[in-house]
């Protein structure tokens, strides 16, 4: 199996040549390492999820990651690398911060009777939008797309914008039904403050 030419630093095994990872592939690895750590340590899920949904999502992200690793520019321009890494860092930090705010809400999410009590998220950009963690996730993926310098990765980013935009609309609709207008104003946007 030969994956591209053999640049310096490539891993070689008998009959297999694996080039060193592109900068975009390294960012993907950081993204998913952060996600795994959050799932293991931070997230407190409020409901049950069937096995099919996370299995499909995990398979999708695996395919996306393989695509990014295969098509990304191994030597992006200094400007693309700088801008992409800055956006990725902002996305990673903002996503983590808002996940932490959600986890704090669920720290004691049941009432005295044992029933789950939903609390309107507050703090950070939750005061402006329903899903700021999705916004920052998208900022991080935009950073990966810029570093990758490949149309297919921009198309992956566009698909994620579509998917997470729809999820943010559904979240906002759920919150409007669940909370009073004092807790969750009708004017609160879905994903992008003051715009959408």
């Amino acid at each position: 199996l030969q994956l591209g030419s053999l640049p310096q630093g490539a891993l070689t095994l008998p009959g297999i040549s694996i080039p060193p990872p592109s900068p975009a592939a390294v960012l993907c690895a950081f993204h998913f390492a952060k996600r795994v750590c959050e799932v293991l340590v931070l997230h407190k899920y409020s409901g049950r999820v069937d096995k099919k949904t996370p299995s499909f999502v995990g398979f999708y992200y695996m395919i996306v990651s393989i695509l990014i690793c295969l098509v990304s520019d191994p030597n992006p321009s200094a400007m693309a690398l700088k801008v992409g890494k800055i956006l990725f860092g902002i996305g990673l930090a903002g996503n983590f911060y808002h996940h932490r705010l959600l986890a704090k809400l669920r720290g004691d999410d049941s009432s005295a009777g044992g029933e789950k009590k939903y609390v309107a998220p507050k703090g950070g950009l939750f005061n402006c939008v329903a899903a700021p963690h999705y916004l920052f996730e998208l900022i991080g993926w935009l950073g990966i797309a810029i570093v990758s310098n490949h149309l297919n990765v921009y198309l992956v980013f566009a698909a994620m914008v579509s998917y997470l935009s729809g999820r943010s609309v559904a979240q906002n609709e759920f919150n409007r039904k669940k909370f009073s207008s004092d807790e969750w104003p009708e004017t609160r946007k879905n994903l992008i403050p003051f715009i959408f």
Side-chain angles (χ1 to χ4, degrees), residues 159-178:
M160 289 185 183
V161 169
S162 175
Y163 172 67
L164 292 178
S165 293
R167 295 265 320 255
S168 70
V169 169
Q171 183 65 57
N172 209 5
E173 289 173 358
F174 173 83
N175 291 350
R176 285 183 181 139
K177 290 176 186 171
K178 191 76 178 165

Side-chain angles (χ1 to χ4, degrees), residues 55-131:
S55 297
F56 174 77
V57 171
F59 180 76
Y60 171 78
Y61 277 123
M62 180 189 70
I63 296 298
V64 164
S65 297
I66 291 169
L67 171 75
I68 291 170
C69 290
L70 291 175
V71 302
S72 293
D73 186 349
N75 299 306
S77 72
M79 180 59 80
L81 195 57
K82 183 176 183 176
V83 170
K85 284 168 59 176
I86 288 170
L87 288 173
F88 179 78
I90 291 168
L92 208 68
N95 181 264
F96 174 78
Y97 173 72
H98 289 91
H99 280 166
R100 194 161 168 259
L101 290 176
L102 288 173
K104 283 182 179 182
L105 291 176
R106 292 183 180 152
D108 185 23
D109 65 353
S110 60
S111 63
E115 289 183 36
K116 290 186 186 243
K117 178 184 171 201
Y118 288 95
V119 180
K122 294 180 181 139
L125 290 181
F126 278 113
N127 298 334
C128 301
V129 296

Side-chain angles (χ1 to χ4, degrees), residues 13 17 20 25 42 71 80 91 98 108-109 118 123 135 147 151 155 161 165 186 195:
L13 301 170
S17 298
L42 184 67
V71 302
H98 289 91
D108 185 23
D109 65 353
Y118 288 95
L135 172 63
V147 170
L151 177 62
L155 293 174
V161 169
S165 293
E186 289 289 322
I195 298 171

